[in-house]
Amino acid sequence: MSPVGEVPLGQDASITCSISTQHLGGTFTLQQTSGSSRKTNASSTNSATFNISQVNFGNEGSYQCQYHSNDSGRDFSSNFSDSVRLSVTVPLQQPNISLTSPNKGLVWGPEGAEVTRGYSFVFTCSISSHYPGGVFFLVSSGLNNTKPAVDQSASFDFPWAEYEHLGNYFCVYEVTLSARRFPSNKTPSITVTIKMSLLPLVSSVAVVGPLLLLLVLVGVCLVFKRKRRAKQPNDLVQTQLSVRVHNDHENSTNGDDEDVYQNVDPMHTEKLREEAGRVEEEEYDVYGESEIIEDEGHDSDQEEETSDDEADYENVTQQPVEATVDIYGDDEDIYQNF
């Protein structure tokens, strides 16, 4: 049989039958074992060729040869030959594969295509074939997408690139004829890697940057206010002492019958300075603490002032004692005590 093995659909084929005999001038028969096809061919030699034009799927099957001869009015037939099989195939060219990114998220590197995560990319499979109406397969590890061919091409869209899309991709074209599927050879593979997008990082920096700057400014303001408030306790002590002396001076001016002596207690002054030192060491809000300290200092001043006035200021009025004077004589004593 020629060609041997598979015969492309639509191509011509031929089967040759031969025999070794001395009775030439006989007839060869070609019988399709799996069908009803039967052909005969008379030959003056020991062989005959059967041609099959434009092979189709109906010609597919197994064939056997048999030889018939007539000698002196007697018919002689040989046994059937060994069978040969005629297989019909559909020759398909190798398709093409291409990769693009509509929003420019694709970069070609030494190891293949690099697609930015979050960007879209498109695989396009195409073929030049005499057998339209087929389908394209886009195959990768864990992926097998199918699309019908339109104008002998198909596009596979990936609107959002993710890390699960990395891998090797190739296309296969397939047609179905006479209830049989005929695939093409696969295309060369395209290796796809997914890289991280810099856009979220830039966006994070754009958002966090102003916040950090704001925090720095707030910190500077707090430090400045703390230093400014740290200078106020000394002024507070001096102001309280001035008010104390002024009030005592008014009390001494308004007294009619008693003498007032003003003494400033050194221990009281030291207490005020210790309270001022504690204000400088506080870590929480300066304004709220200052108000609390001022209230407590004012109350303690009133209590201590009351106790100091009782202990430190003393007016002593001594009554003069006069001696007994004898004015009227021995019989009458007059005593006057003031």
Side-chain angles (χ1 to χ4, degrees):
M1 185 179 70
S2 177
V4 178
E6 295 182 345
V7 180
L9 180 66
Q11 186 175 331
D12 295 339
S14 64
I15 299 176
T16 301
C17 300
S18 63
I19 190 174
S20 176
T21 180
Q22 296 178 352
H23 304 281
L24 301 177
T27 302
F28 286 93
T29 301
L30 180 65
Q31 177 71 42
Q32 185 180 16
T33 59
S34 57
S36 60
S37 177
R38 181 184 176 90
K39 294 183 178 182
T40 61
N41 191 353
S43 175
S44 58
T45 63
N46 63 343
S47 66
T49 300
F50 297 87
N51 295 318
I52 304 174
S53 300
Q54 296 182 351
V55 171
N56 56 47
F57 294 106
N59 302 129
E60 191 174 45
S62 297
Y63 291 85
Q64 290 178 320
C65 293
Q66 189 178 32
Y67 182 70
H68 301 276
S69 67
N70 186 293
D71 186 10
S72 300
R74 297 177 62 182
D75 291 333
F76 297 93
S77 298
S78 69
N79 295 326
F80 281 99
S81 66
D82 294 334
S83 63
V84 292
R85 179 168 181 80
L86 188 151
S87 298
V88 180
T89 185
V90 176
L92 296 175
Q93 295 181 354
Q94 186 183 68
N96 301 314
I97 184 172
S98 62
L99 175 61
T100 58
S101 178
N103 48 7
K104 299 180 180 180
L106 171 64
V107 176
W108 289 96
E111 298 182 357
E114 297 179 354
V115 180
T116 304
R117 182 174 180 266
Y119 284 73
S120 63
F121 62 98
V122 180
F123 277 103
T124 301
C125 303
S126 62
I127 194 173
S128 177
S129 173
H130 299 290
Y131 307 100
V135 294
F136 282 101
F137 292 89
L138 180 66
V139 183
S140 180
S141 55
L143 176 69
N144 193 349
N145 288 346
T146 305
K147 277 194 173 183
V150 178
D151 295 332
Q152 298 188 357
S153 67
S155 296
F156 298 86
D157 298 332
F158 294 82
W160 187 275
E162 285 291 349
Y163 294 113
E164 62 186 23
H165 295 145
L166 58 87
N168 298 323
Y169 292 80
F170 61 87
C171 291
V172 174
Y173 181 70
E174 183 180 275
V175 293
T176 301
L177 299 173
S178 187
R180 292 177 58 187
R181 301 168 63 181
F182 298 92
S184 69
N185 294 328
K186 66 180 183 179
T187 64
S189 298
I190 293 180
T191 302
V192 174
T193 57
I194 307 298
K195 64 180 182 179
M196 184 181 66
S197 176
L198 297 178
L199 182 60
L201 180 60
V202 173
S203 302
S204 300
V205 173
V207 173
V208 174
L211 293 178
L212 292 177
L213 181 60
L214 180 61
L215 290 176
V216 171
L217 292 177
V218 171
V220 172
C221 292
L222 291 176
V223 172
F224 177 77
K225 289 180 179 180
R226 183 175 288 117
K227 290 183 178 180
R228 185 178 64 181
R229 297 294 298 176
K231 298 179 181 179
Q232 294 182 359
N234 292 331
D235 297 336
L236 179 64
V237 172
Q238 294 178 0
T239 302
Q240 292 177 347
L241 290 175
S242 299
V243 171
R244 175 76 177 274
V245 172
H246 178 72
N247 292 336
D248 292 342
H249 176 72
E250 289 182 353
N251 292 334
S252 63
T253 303
N254 296 329
D256 294 332
D257 298 328
E258 59 184 8
D259 294 333
V260 179
Y261 299 94
Q262 176 68 40
N263 293 323
V264 177
D265 188 3
M267 293 299 294
H268 180 64
T269 303
E270 184 62 25
K271 290 181 180 180
L272 292 177
R273 293 189 180 275
E274 289 179 358
E275 292 178 0
R278 285 197 299 271
V279 173
E280 296 179 357
E281 296 176 355
E282 292 296 331
E283 295 296 335
Y284 47 82
D285 188 17
V286 177
Y287 292 99
E289 277 310 306
S290 298
E291 293 177 359
I292 296 173
I293 293 174
E294 289 177 0
D295 293 339
E296 293 178 356
H298 181 70
D299 295 338
S300 62
D301 286 345
Q302 290 180 353
E303 294 175 358
E304 292 180 3
E305 182 176 355
T306 303
S307 61
D308 289 344
D309 289 342
E310 294 176 358
D312 295 340
Y313 305 101
E314 181 177 3
N315 294 325
V316 179
T317 302
Q318 296 181 354
Q319 299 292 335
V321 178
E322 294 184 3
T324 303
V325 180
D326 188 4
I327 301 176
Y328 301 99
D330 296 331
D331 296 332
E332 185 177 3
D333 293 332
I334 298 174
Y335 297 90
Q336 186 176 2
N337 294 324
F338 296 93

